[in-house]
Amino acid sequence: MSITKKLRLGPLPKTEIVKLTFACPASLKVDLDRYAVVHAQVYGEAVDATTLIPHMLEAFMVADRGFRRGRGDDKQPSSRVAVPKG
């Protein structure tokens, strides 16, 4: 596997956490673990899938125009999550 220069999910910010438990298909867990390995290689900081999931979900929600419109916030994302265009 070649190391990607940049991933859609950038370096992780330090944040306050709230515990949330969810179930996912085994195939998704495998992919999340692979993503965590690549993320660690790209950014030089070991992380596991459990650490990445909240940041992935936040990036997804920030990029979702329909969600922003539903909240009455259809402007450019102003979250701390960097969402590359394209």
Side-chain angles (χ1 to χ4, degrees), residues 5-81:
K5 296 255 185 218
K6 287 190 176 183
L7 297 175
R8 185 167 182 91
L9 184 66
L12 303 180
K14 305 296 182 208
T15 59
E16 179 183 343
I17 61 168
V18 176
K19 186 166 180 132
L20 178 69
T21 303
F22 78 102
C24 69
S27 60
L28 177 58
K29 174 65 167 107
V30 168
D31 286 342
L32 288 167
D33 288 337
R34 287 182 187 149
Y35 194 100
V37 168
V38 173
H39 191 279
Q41 291 171 342
V42 170
Y43 295 107
E45 182 178 349
V47 293
D48 60 10
T50 304
T51 303
L52 291 176
I53 291 168
H55 301 284
M56 293 172 145
L57 289 172
E58 184 177 21
F60 173 82
M61 291 173 68
V62 166
D64 188 317
R65 287 186 219 164
F67 177 70
R68 289 197 322 262
R69 252 182 293 209
R71 287 187 342 180
D73 181 22
D74 195 27
K75 300 178 191 100
Q76 282 292 337
S78 61
S79 177
R80 63 182 154 52
V81 175

